[in-house]
């Protein structure tokens, strides 16, 4: 259930009650639907925990860009959201790499840029890896981004590398796109591994 009015009501006082849960998590995912004050507080609470920021949209990315720093482990924008986060052009791959570098200079370790049916670029201090999309039949794209990010986090929590996590995320997205369901009911790690083989 998505209730943006309820999300807008979230502030530091509500997040404070989840302090122990956040501090003991393996990964914290924060999205751009949070207001600036709530985002800042969540980032402070998650100190030491791998925190992933999902921008959600260009306007939300633009409104929160100044809060992103070394407290964030990874950012997962598409090309347009990356431009909003950095105030840099992102039309070409070279520009995308330059914009990702701007986020690295803020202390963000990973920048995973989604490029639609072309796949993605995973940028880190070790360089940039281009990860192709997994071929699929499009039934409904709703839910693909959520499945992709969830699968990415699953592999990171399981001790996998960011590149393995991104590849796993692509397969989860491809399987979700091929389903008429927003949340594919049979999506399991085994099914994703099969799609990658």
């Amino acid at each position: 259930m998505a209730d943006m009015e309820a999300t807008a009501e979230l502030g530091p006082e509500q997040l404070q009650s989840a302090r122990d849960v956040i501090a003991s998590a393996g990964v914290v995912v924060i999205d751009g639907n949070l207001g600036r004050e709530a985002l800042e507080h969540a980032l402070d609470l998650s100190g030491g925990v791998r925190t992933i920021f999902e921008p959600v949209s260009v306007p939300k990315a633009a409104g929160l860009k100044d809060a992103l720093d070394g407290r964030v482990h990874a950012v997962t924008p598409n090309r347009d959201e990356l431009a909003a986060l950095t105030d840099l052009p992102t039309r070409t791959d070279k520009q995308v790499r330059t914009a990702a570098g701007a986020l690295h200079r803020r202390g963000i370790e990973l920048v995973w840029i989604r490029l639609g049916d072309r796949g993605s670029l995973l940028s880190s201090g070790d360089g940039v890896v281009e990860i192709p999309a997994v071929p699929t039949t499009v039934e409904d794209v709703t839910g693909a981004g959520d499945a992709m990010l969830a699968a990415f986090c699953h592999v990171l929590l399981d001790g996998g590398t960011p590149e393995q996590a991104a590849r796993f995320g692509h397969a989860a997205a491809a399987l979700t796109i091929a389903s008429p369901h927003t949340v594919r009911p049979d999506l399991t790690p085994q099914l994703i591994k099969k799609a990658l083989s």
Side-chain angles (χ1 to χ4, degrees):
M1 179 173 74
D3 185 339
M4 292 303 102
E5 288 183 20
T7 303
E9 297 280 323
L10 280 175
E13 55 282 351
Q14 289 83 15
L15 292 172
Q16 194 61 30
S17 64
R19 178 184 67 242
D20 293 340
V21 173
I22 293 170
S24 63
V27 169
V28 171
V29 178
I30 299 174
D31 78 26
N33 288 312
L34 288 179
R36 173 68 182 258
E37 190 178 13
L39 173 68
E40 291 275 10
H41 194 68
L43 290 174
D44 289 341
L45 290 176
S46 66
V49 178
R50 285 179 295 185
T51 302
I52 300 170
F53 177 71
E54 166 50 46
V56 177
S57 71
V58 168
K60 291 181 179 183
L64 296 171
K65 66 184 175 187
D66 295 333
L68 303 182
D69 55 30
R71 296 173 292 177
V72 177
H73 172 70
V75 178
T76 61
N78 63 28
R79 188 185 295 268
D80 294 335
E81 292 161 351
L82 179 62
L85 289 172
T86 60
D87 291 324
L88 294 169
T90 57
R91 288 182 296 282
T92 68
D93 281 359
K94 184 177 180 182
Q95 290 172 333
V96 165
R97 290 169 190 245
T98 298
L103 292 178
H104 292 314
R105 286 190 294 281
R106 290 193 213 168
I108 298 166
E109 187 173 331
L110 296 173
V111 183
W112 186 25
I113 307 105
R114 283 81 178 283
L115 302 174
D117 60 5
R118 206 182 115 202
S120 67
L121 292 176
L122 180 65
S123 179
S124 70
D126 297 329
V128 178
V129 177
E130 186 162 353
I131 301 171
V134 174
T136 191
T137 302
V138 177
E139 181 72 30
D140 183 355
V141 298
T142 309
D146 291 336
M148 185 180 236
L149 184 54
F152 180 78
C153 292
H154 172 79
V155 172
L156 290 181
L157 286 167
D158 205 32
T161 67
E163 183 177 344
Q164 290 168 332
R167 291 184 189 284
F168 206 71
H170 274 289
L175 289 164
T176 300
I177 287 170
S179 168
H181 303 282
T182 299
V183 178
R184 185 171 173 148
D186 63 340
L187 189 63
T188 62
Q190 293 74 24
L191 186 64
I192 296 170
K193 286 175 187 171
K194 185 176 176 185
L196 284 170
S197 60

